[in-house]
Amino acid sequence: PSLLHIEELCDSIVRSHRDTSQFRLEELQALRWKLFSREEIHAYQSKSVDEMWQHCAVRLTEAVQYVVEFAKRIPGFRGLGQNDQITLLKTGSMEVVLVRMSRCFNTENSTVFFDGKFGSTELFKSLGCGDLMVAVFDFAHSMCALRLTEQQMALFCSLVLINPDRPCLEDRGRVHRMRRDLEVCLSHMLHRDNQESLQHKLYQKVSVLQSLCSLHVEKLHWFSQRYPLTVHSVFPPLYKELFT
Ligand SMILES: CCS(=O)(=O)c1ccc(CC(=O)Nc2nc(-c3ccccc3)c(C(=O)c3ccccc3CC(C)C)s2)cc1
């Protein structure tokens, strides 16, 4: 691919990320010291397991919908077959949400933006999955340590999604060619930013992401065994479609 094509591809990925990022970095920064009060934390902690899971599933589904919009704007994504688009989203959308979530973490007090304010893991106690929360927070801390620019995050998210190794892809070759162009974009951008060392650190994050997502699916399975009606009747359809 020509250098012009690569730079155009970079620009369109960055624009798509900015247009589908749900909250701008400046907005999240401005809110970072808006913490939940003791009473508000107590209110979350006294929610039942299924109430809190449902509440999070709704929030998570909103975040996933923005990732679906981002995917659709990746050049070439809409050219893939419907089944391959679903396969890439089914396996990659939670990974992208987890990468994006690192933007809304305040590592100084280990809080995450949720429901309009910032709260720590204690907020999610009634979910009954402390290990998932610890893993999500640890991952967010490690992502924040990389201090990615929005451009670098945009390209990393597109690479997480456009993964030719996903199971049951029909046109793997086509995904591979998209992936190769995106890899050239990322290395072109890291070279321009004089941060080539980030490249392998980012690729190392991919395996952590995959284990985090299987932990999420495992917890969801555990939850849906205990509260089948909640998952069946009140969980967002997109959440069920993608994660069950
Ligand atoms: C992502 C784009 S953004 O503009 O930065 C943005 C946009 C919007 C928000 C607000 C928001 O939806 N925050 C949520 N936080 C968490 C969360 C919860 C526990 C720990 C850490 C973050 C949500 C989750 O439901 C979640 C996320 C990851 C793994 C597990 C879960 C719990 C579920 C599956 C039981 S939703 C935040 C940030």
Side-chain angles (χ1 to χ4, degrees):
S2 72
L3 183 61
L4 181 68
H5 166 72
I6 287 303
E7 284 181 339
E8 277 167 0
L9 184 53
C10 269
D11 293 347
S12 88
I13 299 286
V14 168
R15 200 169 38 251
S16 305
H17 171 76
R18 191 180 50 235
D19 296 348
T20 63
S21 63
Q22 207 171 352
F23 284 84
R24 286 200 328 282
L25 221 44
E26 307 77 57
E27 290 173 301
L28 292 165
Q29 296 285 0
L31 290 164
R32 65 197 283 118
W33 295 105
K34 215 175 159 203
L35 302 177
F36 284 111
S37 65
R38 293 298 335 149
E39 297 75 26
E40 288 169 318
I41 291 167
H42 182 70
Y44 279 112
Q45 291 176 339
S46 28
K47 279 178 184 284
S48 61
V49 177
D50 57 327
E51 243 183 317
M52 192 58 186
W53 261 91
Q54 187 198 333
H55 195 73
C56 286
V58 167
R59 292 282 166 270
L60 198 63
T61 304
E62 275 169 34
V64 165
Q65 275 159 333
Y66 283 88
V67 171
V68 171
E69 210 31 58
F70 170 65
K72 284 158 63 177
R73 300 178 191 208
I74 295 175
F77 185 82
R78 299 175 76 111
L80 297 171
Q82 283 283 345
N83 295 341
D84 283 356
Q85 292 181 34
I86 296 284
T87 299
L88 291 180
L89 282 169
K90 209 169 157 59
T91 49
S93 59
M94 182 66 179
E95 292 176 8
V96 174
V97 165
L98 286 164
V99 171
R100 283 180 158 207
M101 279 290 163
S102 62
R103 298 160 81 245
C104 75
F105 267 84
N106 181 349
T107 49
E108 288 165 60
N109 57 8
S110 282
T111 56
V112 66
F113 184 63
F114 179 82
D115 259 359
K117 288 185 184 174
F118 280 77
S120 66
T121 45
E122 62 177 346
L123 203 71
F124 304 96
K125 199 147 55 178
S126 54
L127 284 174
C129 40
D131 49 350
L132 174 64
M133 294 304 111
V134 168
V136 172
F137 273 71
D138 286 352
F139 176 74
H141 273 272
S142 72
M143 281 303 297
C144 291
L146 298 182
R147 307 179 65 73
L148 295 186
T149 64
E150 284 291 274
Q151 292 84 350
Q152 292 163 350
M153 177 167 291
L155 274 177
F156 182 53
C157 288
S158 66
L159 281 168
V160 164
L161 266 178
I162 309 301
N163 180 344
D165 303 330
R166 299 296 190 194
C168 10
L169 280 172
E170 290 163 359
D171 188 347
R172 206 173 292 279
R174 194 165 178 156
V175 180
H176 213 283
R177 284 189 294 281
M178 279 179 73
R179 166 81 189 213
R180 191 206 47 213
D181 287 356
L182 292 168
E183 282 170 354
V184 173
C185 279
L186 181 67
S187 49
H188 171 72
M189 178 179 279
L190 292 181
H191 178 74
R192 191 197 63 193
D193 299 343
N194 204 4
Q195 281 186 292
E196 283 91 341
S197 62
L198 258 185
Q199 177 119 354
H200 81 280
K201 286 178 190 157
L202 284 174
Y203 287 126
Q204 275 173 334
K205 292 287 170 236
V206 175
S207 50
V208 179
L209 265 178
Q210 281 162 1
S211 58
L212 248 185
C213 285
S214 9
L215 186 57
H216 166 240
V217 170
E218 191 188 303
K219 291 295 170 194
L220 174 61
H221 186 71
W222 164 84
F223 175 78
S224 59
Q225 297 280 338
R226 277 159 186 69
Y227 300 89
L229 271 184
T230 307
V231 176
H232 183 75
S233 51
V234 293
F235 263 36
L238 178 63
Y239 186 96
K240 283 190 286 190
E241 168 70 33
L242 291 176
F243 304 125
T244 56

